[in-house]
Amino acid sequence: MHGMNRRAYVPADTAWHLISLRPQGQHDTLRSAAARLGGHTLALSPWRVALRTDTLTRAQLAHAATADRLVFTSPTAAEAAARLLALPELGEGRVVAVGEGTARVLRRHGARDVQAPQRMDSEGLLALPRMQELQGLRVALVTAPGGRGMIAAQIVERGATLQRVDVYERVGLPLSTAVIERLEALQGPTVLALSSGEALETVLPQLPAAVLRRWQRMPVVAASERLAALARTHGFTHASVAAGPLPAQLASAAQRAITAMAAGHASA
């Protein structure tokens, strides 16, 4: 019952806030997960996602469909590709997803024999059996402009020919005055959910100095150790790693972080 004693410092019905840096329109699952644990989500989108459906993207994707491996780097990449490509026609043993969320989207659209790592990050993906013997093969990376440079570099290093297909792009959304005013007015325990380093580095320069200092003192729950380390380099003093990148995992880690900080203050 050790956990029950700790919780005495934060009654179960204490309202707390979770800041979400998901793309516009993609906050709902995190909002629901936090609400189940008594959290209120403040949506702060650094960008919106725009799917690419132009002739060039369609041609690149048709070429990618003939590759030895197709690597999908996010659920959004899988959704975008499914609109332009018949996923059930991709042969056995060729489809790879960066994580279970991406794999679920691929399977829902009829992809067969999808391989995804338990560890939902670049290292986990690169450790998959399907990503080992790549010498002389052609690997298509179905992704968006920006991240995933480590995956691309490793594929080339392992002797494969890399084809990159950007099936969506991120369109920046500057922080509005209204959102900044909401951040300044936030009362009570607040946690930052971090599942994209690019999102963090897009938002931080837009924060007023006083808000930034407050953020650096609040707990951050990161989807991976790499992201927690990134937060620390930006001056965050309480960065912890969630069990994984899923909304329920981030929300649970956020609630634990608040309980731990309250316990620390109570015993200080």
Side-chain angles (χ1 to χ4, degrees):
M1 300 298 285
H2 175 65
M4 294 299 289
N5 299 336
R6 298 258 316 271
R7 190 154 292 153
Y9 303 123
V10 182
D13 58 356
T14 297
W16 55 279
H17 302 279
L18 187 63
I19 296 173
S20 168
L21 304 182
R22 302 281 307 147
Q24 189 178 57
Q26 294 185 24
H27 300 278
D28 287 355
T29 49
L30 190 56
R31 183 179 278 114
S32 302
R36 282 194 291 273
L37 301 172
H40 304 280
T41 298
L42 175 61
L44 202 162
S45 296
W47 52 67
R48 64 180 176 82
V49 167
L51 305 187
R52 291 185 174 180
T53 56
D54 57 284
T55 313
L56 178 60
T57 304
R58 288 172 187 272
Q60 288 178 335
L61 209 47
H63 182 54
T66 64
D68 300 291
R69 300 281 185 279
L70 285 93
V71 180
F72 294 84
T73 66
S74 69
T76 308
E79 284 286 1
R83 294 177 184 216
L84 307 177
L85 197 63
L87 296 184
E89 291 173 18
L90 300 176
E92 307 272 320
R94 295 165 56 209
V95 180
V96 179
V98 75
E100 197 45 52
T102 305
R104 268 201 298 271
V105 173
L106 291 167
R107 291 182 191 118
R108 193 170 69 236
H109 288 288
R112 300 191 308 273
D113 189 25
V114 180
Q115 202 171 77
Q118 290 295 301
R119 249 186 82 172
M120 298 189 228
D121 57 17
S122 304
E123 291 84 353
L125 178 101
L126 291 163
L128 286 174
R130 215 164 270 180
M131 297 301 290
Q132 299 314 305
E133 304 296 325
L134 299 182
Q135 186 69 40
L137 300 186
R138 183 158 62 86
V139 179
L141 197 60
V142 184
T143 186
R148 302 300 178 191
M150 177 181 165
I151 294 174
Q154 281 292 318
I155 287 169
V156 173
E157 200 168 295
R158 292 175 186 189
T161 306
L162 178 72
Q163 181 200 351
R164 186 184 173 113
V165 189
D166 292 323
V167 288
Y168 67 100
E169 58 194 292
R170 301 180 181 106
V171 180
L173 296 172
L175 291 192
S176 66
T177 311
V179 165
I180 287 175
E181 285 172 355
R182 282 189 67 192
L183 287 171
E184 288 172 335
L186 263 187
Q187 297 295 317
T190 305
V191 183
L192 177 66
L194 181 58
S195 52
S196 160
E198 215 173 329
L200 182 71
E201 295 188 320
T202 302
V203 167
L204 290 183
Q206 302 181 60
L207 298 176
V211 174
L212 176 60
R213 282 196 298 276
R214 190 172 154 199
W215 274 38
Q216 288 167 331
R217 291 193 300 272
M218 73 171 68
V220 180
V221 292
S224 69
E225 183 51 58
R226 179 180 61 82
L227 288 168
L230 179 71
R232 291 181 198 110
T233 67
H234 285 287
F236 287 83
T237 48
H238 304 284
S240 60
V241 185
L246 301 177
Q249 293 170 321
L250 289 165
S252 295
Q255 191 190 40
R256 278 197 305 277
I258 283 172
T259 305
M261 278 198 90
H265 289 314
S267 60

Short mmCIF file of all heavy atoms in Angstrom, two decimals, residues 19 55 68 94 101 150 158 180 187 193 206 234 264:
data_model
loop_
_atom_site.label_atom_id
_atom_site.label_comp_id
_atom_site.label_asym_id
_atom_site.label_seq_id
_atom_site.Cartn_x
_atom_site.Cartn_y
_atom_site.Cartn_z
N ILE A 19 0.19 19.58 -20.72
CA ILE A 19 0.40 20.36 -21.95
C ILE A 19 0.75 19.38 -23.07
O ILE A 19 1.69 18.59 -22.95
CB ILE A 19 1.52 21.40 -21.77
CG1 ILE A 19 1.10 22.43 -20.70
CG2 ILE A 19 1.82 22.10 -23.09
CD1 ILE A 19 2.19 23.42 -20.33
N THR A 55 0.91 14.56 -57.96
CA THR A 55 1.32 13.54 -58.92
C THR A 55 2.70 12.96 -58.59
O THR A 55 2.90 11.75 -58.68
CB THR A 55 1.34 14.14 -60.35
OG1 THR A 55 0.12 14.86 -60.54
CG2 THR A 55 1.44 13.06 -61.40
N ASP A 68 12.14 -3.64 -51.57
CA ASP A 68 12.30 -4.87 -50.77
C ASP A 68 11.75 -4.67 -49.36
O ASP A 68 11.28 -5.62 -48.72
CB ASP A 68 13.78 -5.25 -50.69
CG ASP A 68 14.35 -5.51 -52.07
OD1 ASP A 68 13.96 -6.51 -52.69
OD2 ASP A 68 15.17 -4.69 -52.55
N ARG A 94 7.73 -7.59 -46.08
CA ARG A 94 8.34 -6.34 -46.56
C ARG A 94 7.97 -5.11 -45.75
O ARG A 94 8.67 -4.10 -45.80
CB ARG A 94 7.94 -6.11 -48.02
CG ARG A 94 8.47 -7.17 -48.97
CD ARG A 94 7.76 -7.10 -50.31
NE ARG A 94 7.84 -5.78 -50.90
CZ ARG A 94 6.92 -5.27 -51.72
NH1 ARG A 94 5.86 -5.98 -52.04
NH2 ARG A 94 7.07 -4.07 -52.22
N GLY A 101 1.49 1.71 -32.82
CA GLY A 101 0.43 2.60 -33.32
C GLY A 101 0.44 2.64 -34.85
O GLY A 101 -0.61 2.56 -35.50
N MET A 150 18.38 9.27 -38.26
CA MET A 150 19.17 8.12 -37.80
C MET A 150 18.77 6.86 -38.57
O MET A 150 19.62 6.06 -38.95
CB MET A 150 18.95 7.93 -36.31
CG MET A 150 19.66 6.71 -35.75
SD MET A 150 19.33 6.55 -33.98
CE MET A 150 19.87 4.86 -33.73
N ARG A 158 23.96 0.05 -43.82
CA ARG A 158 23.80 -1.40 -43.92
C ARG A 158 23.79 -1.89 -45.37
O ARG A 158 23.48 -3.06 -45.62
CB ARG A 158 22.53 -1.84 -43.17
CG ARG A 158 22.68 -1.64 -41.67
CD ARG A 158 21.40 -1.93 -40.89
NE ARG A 158 21.60 -1.57 -39.47
CZ ARG A 158 20.75 -1.87 -38.50
NH1 ARG A 158 19.62 -2.52 -38.76
NH2 ARG A 158 21.01 -1.52 -37.25
N ILE A 180 -0.80 31.86 -25.37
CA ILE A 180 0.24 32.35 -24.43
C ILE A 180 -0.41 32.89 -23.16
O ILE A 180 0.05 32.63 -22.04
CB ILE A 180 1.14 33.39 -25.13
CG1 ILE A 180 2.06 32.66 -26.12
CG2 ILE A 180 1.97 34.17 -24.10
CD1 ILE A 180 2.93 33.53 -26.98
N GLN A 187 -3.00 27.60 -13.44
CA GLN A 187 -2.80 27.41 -12.00
C GLN A 187 -2.76 25.92 -11.69
O GLN A 187 -3.40 25.13 -12.36
CB GLN A 187 -3.97 28.03 -11.23
CG GLN A 187 -4.11 29.53 -11.40
CD GLN A 187 -2.93 30.30 -10.81
OE1 GLN A 187 -2.49 29.99 -9.70
NE2 GLN A 187 -2.43 31.29 -11.52
N ALA A 193 3.87 16.89 -21.76
CA ALA A 193 4.01 15.59 -22.44
C ALA A 193 4.88 15.80 -23.68
O ALA A 193 4.61 16.68 -24.49
CB ALA A 193 2.64 15.05 -22.84
N GLN A 206 9.22 30.45 -28.86
CA GLN A 206 8.06 31.35 -28.94
C GLN A 206 7.49 31.72 -27.57
O GLN A 206 6.59 32.54 -27.47
CB GLN A 206 6.94 30.69 -29.76
CG GLN A 206 7.36 30.32 -31.18
CD GLN A 206 6.20 29.69 -31.94
OE1 GLN A 206 5.15 30.30 -32.13
NE2 GLN A 206 6.38 28.44 -32.35
N HIS A 234 17.64 21.51 -22.73
CA HIS A 234 16.92 22.79 -22.82
C HIS A 234 16.57 23.35 -21.45
O HIS A 234 15.72 24.23 -21.34
CB HIS A 234 15.66 22.63 -23.68
CG HIS A 234 15.95 22.54 -25.15
ND1 HIS A 234 16.35 23.63 -25.89
CD2 HIS A 234 15.93 21.49 -26.01
CE1 HIS A 234 16.56 23.26 -27.15
NE2 HIS A 234 16.31 21.97 -27.25
N GLY A 264 7.80 15.20 -2.76
CA GLY A 264 9.08 15.87 -2.52
C GLY A 264 8.90 17.18 -1.79
O GLY A 264 9.63 17.48 -0.84
#
